[in-house]
Amino acid sequence: MALVVMCGQPCSGKSEAAACLAAALRSSVPDVTVRVIDESSLHLGRDESYKDMVVEKNLRGVLRSEVDRSVSRDGIIIVDSLNNIKGYRYELWCLARASGIRYCVFFCDTEVDHCRDWNVKRQEKGEPSYDSNIFEDLARRFERPDSRSRWDSPLFELFPSREEIVESSPVIAEAVSYLTKKVDSKTRDVKVLQPTIATQSVRTTEGNSLYEMDKATQEVVSAIVEAQSGGLGLAMNKISLGPDLPTINLRRPVGLPELRSLRRTFIKLAGQYSLSGRPPPTDADSAKRMFVDYLNREIGG
Ligand SMILES: Nc1ncnc2c1ncn2[C@@H]1O[C@H](COP(=O)(O)OP(=O)(O)OP(=O)(O)O)[C@@H](O)[C@H]1O
């Protein structure tokens, strides 16, 4: 039914807001399962999860897999974690899109000084808290959500340092209404994400299919690199891969690192989600077509 992504600095009041939202949803739609996924529900501590980049990346992977397993058209999942990296929120948004459910982001916009104070108070009380160095590192790396991005929209903003967040807070009520009301095709005021090729799975159970996908996407990347190195520039941004394949329309030059990253994301997305009705790419051309569609959507003009 929906995926809600909490987001904010460490110790900014996310869990309290998530608990209020969960309680308000449970009262409003008692027959719908509302589940909060956070580090502690996965038995992971704060400092152990954020002490270096490797474990932090692992934590994000574990949370993402749990979200992937849990999202459904029937329940509401609230991911109560930092969700501080833009690219990670994009990945969560992709999971919602692949499931064809609604999505929103909740941002606890608490000033870092308040967060730091609250963390110190937790330390003093012996409650689970962040080590000061870890706190500062996370605070520095925080990427604020931007409602203009698809993956940060709609954005519900809370200011826990200035107003008490309770079940009846107007923003909570607004979010509950957004998450639970019936979709009205005329007003289109509720957006239910639609699965697209890139977020639908390519059944890659057969080694052959995986191999084709890998090889085909690599060929597309090579064709783009070659075309660009030929000095095509923006005026000649249409790259043809052959008569039976869509043209690649680039709106700007794209470097190899970005192409590699897009390729990795595409392969991951394609392999990750369950297919809903679309045949898997059994040959190189289908795999290329899907990858080109994906590129045109992500970086196309
Ligand atoms: N409005 C507030 N005024 C004072 N203290 C607050 C307020 N909101 C939250 N706190 C305190 O800040 C601490 C962190 O709250 P909470 O656990 O909700 O934050 P969090 O962002 O989920 O933290 P974490 O990043 O550790 O998951 C708690 O000790 C809580 O009591």
Side-chain angles (χ1 to χ4, degrees), residues 225-259:
V225 170
E226 200 184 317
Q228 291 190 136
S229 69
L232 290 181
L234 274 178
M236 296 171 66
N237 53 3
K238 292 188 190 316
I239 299 167
S240 172
L241 294 169
D244 299 327
L245 292 169
T247 303
I248 303 170
N249 278 308
L250 296 179
R251 67 171 168 259
R252 58 178 168 84
V254 185
L256 186 56
E258 188 179 1
L259 287 169

Side-chain angles (χ1 to χ4, degrees), residues 112-124:
V112 180
D113 287 346
H114 282 290
C115 301
R116 192 178 289 113
D117 284 352
W118 296 348
N119 189 47
V120 169
K121 286 202 182 95
R122 284 203 303 201
Q123 285 170 344
E124 288 166 356

Side-chain angles (χ1 to χ4, degrees), residues 9-16 46 82 118 122 127 130 160:
Q9 291 282 13
C11 220
S12 56
K14 298 181 297 296
S15 297
E16 295 199 355
R46 281 179 183 71
L82 293 175
W118 296 348
R122 284 203 303 201
E127 291 172 4
Y130 297 90

